[in-house]
Amino acid sequence: MIDLHTHILPGMDDGAQTLAEALEMLQLAQQDGITHLVATPHIYRGPYQELNGEKIRKELSRLSSAAQQAGLEVNLFQGAEVHITHNLIEQIHRYRPDLVINQSDYIFIEFPADHVFPGVKDLFFELLSLGLTPIIAHPERNAVFVRQPRILYELVQMGALCQVNSGSFLGYYGEHVRQGVYNLLRFNLVHLMASDCHHPTTIPPLLSEAVELAAEVIGFDEAQALVNDNPRAVLENRTIPHYSPPRPPQERKKSFKLRRPVFHFFSRKH
Ligand SMILES: [Fe+2]
């Protein structure tokens, strides 16, 4: 399996803090059947505003050598989790190789947890015009996408892809997110699954259990594709081979049913 979204580089963000912790995470990943793992540190989010490509590459090669010395066989690749920022296009013009996934034309885009700003379609149009394919990181964790999957549907119709977190199936982020991720699966709005791991125990780099859960909804082959064929195509800069046209989600209609008035003659407290 391929884990496309991880916070495994020591000291780069709120993920692994030490080399020992990163190696422990790699060990877990390998035991779970992960052979390729992309390091995607937070960029332009909260305290991680500065992109330091040189530091990312240095930490990546340090971790790769340490992993090799420890007898681990997971292959590591460079990527980033790029938070939406006001001058994103300008940043991409300047630092594109360090913002995309493994030098490809795929780029992770992260939204804030509680809103989707009104100009999002224009931004995605600009990204697509630059030849980039935006991959929306864990849309099931965004309250607006969960409540109004139609917005996500429209972005996917434009050409964006969606990556969901394995932990969302396992309830790591609560029941609301768990139900949200299942909903997105039913609308064919899930193209990739990754761990978004931050730590060996709290959010570990595990995929297999969530793949089994996804298989109950979309079948074994399609669930496998989320962690195999599709992320492999991203790493190799090809079009993803498993793609089902998204189903247009129906907006929840307001209920105009008249409610019977409730009288509390007998329960009134004096
Ligand atoms: Fe992440």
Side-chain angles (χ1 to χ4, degrees), residues 5-7 40 42 45 81 110 137-138 165 196-198:
H5 178 168
T6 73
H7 299 270
T40 53
H42 287 296
R45 171 182 162 160
E81 180 176 15
E110 185 187 23
H138 43 69
N165 286 1
D196 195 7
C197 62
H198 279 69

Side-chain angles (χ1 to χ4, degrees), residues 225-252:
L226 302 179
V227 292
N228 271 309
D229 295 350
N230 281 359
R232 191 176 305 278
V234 171
L235 275 187
E236 295 172 0
N237 205 21
R238 292 182 283 108
T239 305
I240 59 162
H242 289 251
Y243 182 92
S244 304
R247 297 198 181 101
Q250 298 299 317
E251 288 302 338
R252 222 177 282 165

